[in-house]
Amino acid sequence: MNARNSSDSAPVPFGTKIRNWWNGLSRFQQWGVLIPLVVLVYLLPLLNFFPLTTEPGTDYEIALFNAARMALLAIGLNVVVGQAGLLDLGYVGFFAIGAYVAAVLTSPDSVLYGDYPWLAVVPIAMAVTMVSGVILGTPTLRLRGDYLAIVTLGFGEIVRLLADNIPQLRGNQGFQGVGGPPGTYSDGSPIFVQTDGTPWYWLTVTAIILVLILVGNLERSRVGRAWVAIREDEDAAEIMGVATFRFKIWAFVIGAAIGGLSGVLYAGQAAFVNNQRFDVITSVLFLAAVVLGGSGNKVGVILGALVISYIPDRFQVISEYRYLIFGLALIVLMIFRPQGLLGARQRLLAYGRQGYRKLLGRDEPVATESPMKDSGKGVNA
């Protein structure tokens, strides 16, 4: 009884208070809080002043676009790593495929160049990356833990090496003049240009909102519950009748599509694609954004992406120290928040937390371990 009273009187962490307050709001009240926040996010390019600005070291609007693009990538990787618990070290491969599809179809340097509208290129690129996810996932998703990580790492390297060695992909020379979204101002000048990051930022934020709605609905569906069951214990999930292989393929395909979308946005803004931006380090940074933010938590991985992308740009003006500051920030986060900025909640049912609270009289615990833990079983024999 004393232990029960001691547990009840323990101070509640600030993050848990915020989470409980948010969960206590109705859906209408949550939208009432979210709408002003979304408006503020859209207005960020106009708030170009200290301490937010990254200038003179880095263009502020471009830095915001890069952070938003990283957030979109982190959301896609979170579907694979955070939701389904599949350690993917080659996610940069899907990002590269999306960028190269956009370049091959819209750059005058490509042999397949045509007058393809950008709005048609986007679904084509996402479809190609989804097929790539199926091709990668079908023979490899029976592997687990470190073995799966090694295979996906090899996939990312294969994509980069193909870009190096296939003459039509132009290696280091790359593709110039990659097309972007349509639209002009009243004076006839194009809206989406390489030097103005604001329209690109607004477009990427809009894509993030749409993807969050899609992924949020999936989490609350049978698919999301199957992902969580696989993440927590794949053997138990399979015994209970969950088609683990099929749902893991779905996670790979959806994550690949989001990565391909981010690649198309990157290629359009840079208007240039070559083989230099798709290495292993870039892939590790994608994974770091998910781990830092809180694997399995959509809002957390967005915050993690902001830390990974914004801090180096913010301290570009003192470039000799920026990676030191970046590294110290990562160390502090790992010491005080080992589960990430916003840890994932381990629940198998969409309304499990309400039932948990009513049954036990206290809130559902927050995960303190990464869902990427190794099961110790290399192959699902």
Side-chain angles (χ1 to χ4, degrees), residues 329-343:
L330 297 184
I331 292 172
V332 170
L333 282 173
M334 287 296 97
I335 291 175
F336 293 101
R337 297 290 297 177
Q339 72 274 34
L341 290 172
L342 297 175

Side-chain angles (χ1 to χ4, degrees), residues 298-312:
K298 299 188 296 297
V299 179
V301 300
I302 292 175
L303 294 178
L306 295 180
V307 171
I308 293 293
S309 178
Y310 179 76
I311 288 182

Side-chain angles (χ1 to χ4, degrees), residues 80-127:
V80 182
V81 177
Q83 296 297 325
L86 307 171
L87 183 52
D88 184 355
L89 293 180
Y91 193 68
V92 71
F94 300 123
F95 175 62
I97 290 172
Y100 267 99
V101 170
V104 166
L105 295 179
T106 63
S107 171
D109 297 330
S110 170
V111 295
L112 298 178
Y113 171 69
D115 190 18
Y116 302 108
W118 187 83
L119 293 177
V121 170
V122 173
I124 293 174
M126 293 178 69

Side-chain angles (χ1 to χ4, degrees), residues 115-327:
D115 190 18
Y116 302 108
W118 187 83
L119 293 177
V121 170
V122 173
I124 293 174
M126 293 178 69
V128 172
T129 53
M130 292 170 75
V131 172
S132 303
V134 173
I135 294 173
L136 171 65
T138 300
T140 61
L141 284 183
R142 295 192 185 279
L143 302 175
R144 300 183 187 179
D146 299 340
Y147 299 91
L148 178 61
I150 292 171
V151 172
T152 54
L153 180 64
F155 167 73
E157 280 296 285
I158 288 172
V159 172
R160 186 182 64 81
L161 291 174
L162 288 176
D164 275 341
N165 295 290
I166 296 179
Q168 288 78 10
L169 296 181
R170 297 172 64 83
N172 193 35
Q173 188 178 7
F175 297 93
Q176 297 184 359
V178 179
T184 58
Y185 291 110
S186 57
D187 60 356
S189 60
I191 295 175
F192 293 92
V193 294
Q194 186 180 1
T195 54
D196 186 5
T198 301
W200 290 100
Y201 170 76
W202 287 337
L203 177 63
T204 307
V205 169
T206 304
I208 289 174
I209 293 173
L210 295 176
V211 169
L212 283 177
I213 293 173
L214 170 66
V215 174
N217 287 330
L218 280 175
E219 286 181 2
R220 291 185 289 272
S221 70
R222 179 169 174 262
V223 176
R225 293 193 292 274
W227 285 342
V228 175
I230 293 170
R231 182 187 71 192
E232 299 304 322
D233 192 325
E234 185 173 342
D235 291 331
E238 194 162 7
I239 291 173
M240 295 303 293
V242 176
T244 56
F245 183 74
R246 187 179 70 187
F247 285 112
K248 288 196 295 185
I249 286 286
W250 271 111
F252 248 68
V253 168
I254 294 172
I258 299 173
L261 173 62
S262 182
V264 174
L265 292 171
Y266 161 75
Q269 190 279 324
F272 177 73
V273 174
N274 71 354
N275 57 4
Q276 298 299 307
R277 294 297 303 271
F278 310 111
D279 52 10
V280 176
I281 295 177
T282 305
S283 193
V284 171
L285 284 178
F286 296 163
L287 184 62
V290 175
V291 175
L292 282 176
S295 183
N297 189 307
K298 299 188 296 297
V299 179
V301 300
I302 292 175
L303 294 178
L306 295 180
V307 171
I308 293 293
S309 178
Y310 179 76
I311 288 182
D313 285 337
R314 176 64 182 83
F315 296 100
Q316 183 79 33
V317 68
I318 48 175
S319 57
E320 63 268 34
Y321 299 113
R322 66 190 181 104
Y323 282 112
L324 173 63
I325 297 171
F326 180 58

